[in-house]
Amino acid sequence: MIRPRLMIPGPIEFTDEVMAAMGQPTKSHVDPDFVAVFGQALRDLRKVFLAGDDYQPFILAGSGTLAMDSAIANLVEEGDGVLVVDTGYFSERMADICRRYGGRVDLLSAAPGDTITPEQVAERLNSRNYELVTVTHVDTSTGVLVDVEGVAKVAKEAGTLVVVDGVCATAGEEMRQAEWGVDVYLTASQKAIGTPPGLALLVVSPEALAKWRGRRTAVGSYYGDWGPWLPIMEAYEGLRAAYFATPAVNLVEALAVSLKQILDEGMEQVFARHRRISDAVKAGISALGLEQVPTDMRHAAHTLTCPRYPPGVDASFLKEVRKAGAILAGGLHPKIKTEYFRIGHMGAVNANDALAAVAAVEAGLRAVGYAVEPGVGLAAAQAVLTAA
Ligand code: PMP
């Protein structure tokens, strides 16, 4: 049987070159060849995030949750005001982390499928004093995209730092860290950045580093504290070996390959490809008569699609989709978990992947008795993909 394609919102399919890098004999973490690869990965991370030379990248062994934990552990102190822009499950996780480090958290919550606008954020920032605003660029539980550029702008005007969870967005959704003024942009390796699970990645602005340097109290996390990590990152970037805790050597090798592939394609091309693939999948889904969780396609993510089950269909249909060649994910947001499913299309995806996903959904729907004419979704997707 042909291996079904993994099209959940992370982890995703990785390129052969990335997997080959993972499979190399593991080097010493102080081997000069590895030091050079780590240094390059740090430099390339800055480029993929479109960050300035004075922004500090961190590559840590851990998952996306560690990246969130590290950002907040370093930037939030007891009593700090934090405004959490809440568009779903992962925004609420961010709120929990902020509370754990003593933040005085206010949620600005959207109903599932809705977004929060920069105007709404500005209104809240003007109503009381906040040290930090957090945003989930794409909430993987709703497929909702937030206007990070707009939110960062109003946060700057209010003198508030901005932390963005880009776990389901980085290297898929448009993001220009320096130009937009995002203070911490964080992500994990297993999504559009194209490396197997296991790396937490953060890029930190000079303003956020200054806030961290000015802390009144010690950072409450030992492993996530930027203090011991900063000299390590500086050393590797300067092609010197250094040790605090053992880096995930093979994952860093794989990350370096993936970042190079992304940069070789070019960030503008990467953003445009994700938009086109997403438009094609969404057109296919609509042509099949399925609604989507985002209430307006203008705030729908380009890294995943969240179709609602049509009447009479439930999560058991995903088994049929798998038989037809695509592994998709069920719902995640607790309020609507049983009402929708999720198709990930990020990282090294191409037009054929979009068509394969729509074809598998069509076949799955027919297998569970939902009447669709074969090829209707595919025709709509193909029309987008072949449009001039
Ligand atoms: N934030 C978002 C937006 C995510 O999608 C995820 C993972 N699905 C996380 C945070 C947490 O990342 P991890 O599972 O790698 O800890």
Side-chain angles (χ1 to χ4, degrees):
M1 195 185 100
I2 296 175
R3 183 170 68 83
R5 260 185 111 61
L6 183 58
M7 296 192 73
I8 63 172
I12 60 164
E13 295 279 339
F14 304 112
T15 66
D16 292 347
E17 295 78 12
V18 164
M19 294 316 288
M22 281 297 290
Q24 291 179 73
T26 301
K27 295 189 183 78
S28 157
H29 59 291
V30 295
D31 182 309
D33 287 348
F34 176 67
V35 173
V37 168
F38 202 144
Q40 190 62 45
L42 288 162
R43 278 190 291 281
D44 284 350
L45 202 58
R46 240 189 235 110
K47 291 186 191 150
V48 166
F49 284 42
L50 299 169
D53 290 343
D54 49 354
Y55 283 54
Q56 181 59 49
F58 293 88
I59 299 176
L60 308 177
S63 80
T65 305
L66 175 77
M68 298 164 80
D69 192 80
S70 175
I72 301 307
N74 284 278
L75 291 180
V76 172
E77 288 189 85
E78 194 64 41
D80 280 358
V82 184
L83 181 64
V84 173
V85 175
D86 171 19
T87 47
Y89 180 91
F90 289 103
S91 311
E92 286 167 26
R93 175 170 299 185
M94 187 66 103
D96 277 348
I97 297 172
C98 291
R99 289 188 200 102
R100 181 67 66 95
Y101 290 105
R104 178 173 53 73
V105 173
D106 284 339
L107 289 172
L108 180 52
S109 301
D114 275 345
T115 194
I116 296 286
T117 63
E119 293 72 29
Q120 288 172 285
V121 176
E123 202 183 306
R124 286 296 277 272
L125 291 179
N126 292 334
S127 72
R128 70 189 279 193
N129 197 37
Y130 291 100
E131 269 76 25
L132 201 73
V133 181
T134 74
V135 181
T136 314
H137 197 166
V138 168
D139 202 295
T140 324
S141 71
T142 54
V144 165
L145 176 73
V146 175
D147 174 1
V148 166
E149 181 181 14
V151 171
K153 188 163 179 282
V154 299
K156 279 282 109 85
E157 283 162 11
T160 309
L161 292 180
V162 190
V163 171
V164 179
D165 169 357
V167 174
C168 197
T170 316
E173 298 293 348
E174 179 180 356
M175 201 287 290
R176 305 170 193 280
Q177 188 172 5
E179 193 184 317
W180 292 1
V182 173
D183 293 295
V184 176
Y185 197 84
L186 63 91
T187 194
S189 51
Q190 74 271 20
K191 303 206 189 200
I193 213 125
T195 305
L199 291 177
L201 310 168
L202 303 98
V203 178
V204 181
S205 74
E207 292 79 7
L209 286 173
K211 157 108 170 117
W212 165 68
R213 287 201 175 93
R215 286 180 64 97
R216 306 177 298 274
T217 54
V219 172
S221 159
Y222 184 80
Y223 182 83
D225 185 351
W226 294 341
W229 282 118
L230 185 59
I232 306 298
M233 299 301 143
E234 286 171 345
Y236 274 102
E237 204 173 344
L239 302 183
R240 285 172 286 111
Y243 171 75
F244 169 55
T246 309
V249 172
N250 290 56
L251 281 167
V252 173
E253 298 255 10
L255 176 70
V257 171
S258 184
L259 293 173
K260 181 167 184 330
Q261 290 181 329
I262 291 166
L263 292 170
D264 283 350
E265 182 178 357
M267 293 317 296
E268 303 309 322
Q269 288 76 6
V270 167
F271 300 148
R273 176 169 54 80
H274 279 81
R275 276 196 295 271
R276 203 162 68 96
I277 301 282
S278 172
D279 288 351
V281 172
K282 288 174 173 60
I285 290 299
S286 297
L288 293 172
L290 274 54
E291 313 257 298
Q292 295 175 43
V293 173
T295 50
D296 187 324
M297 285 306 109
R298 281 173 299 186
H299 65 246
H302 302 95
T303 48
L304 81 160
T305 297
C306 296
R308 288 183 173 274
Y309 295 119
V313 177
D314 63 20
S316 61
F317 129 94
L318 295 175
K319 288 196 212 81
E320 300 300 329
V321 177
R322 184 189 175 114
K323 282 189 213 151
I327 300 173
L328 307 183
L332 179 63
H333 195 294
K335 285 195 184 136
I336 51 170
K337 199 174 163 56
T338 57
E339 298 171 17
Y340 72 110
F341 63 102
R342 298 174 298 152
I343 309 169
H345 34 77
M346 62 187 117
V349 284
N350 60 33
N352 289 343
D353 298 317
L355 293 173
V358 173
V361 170
E362 262 190 32
L365 288 172
R366 285 172 62 80
V368 297
Y370 178 79
V372 286
E373 203 185 312
V376 166
L378 276 171
Q382 183 72 304
V384 172
L385 293 168
T386 55

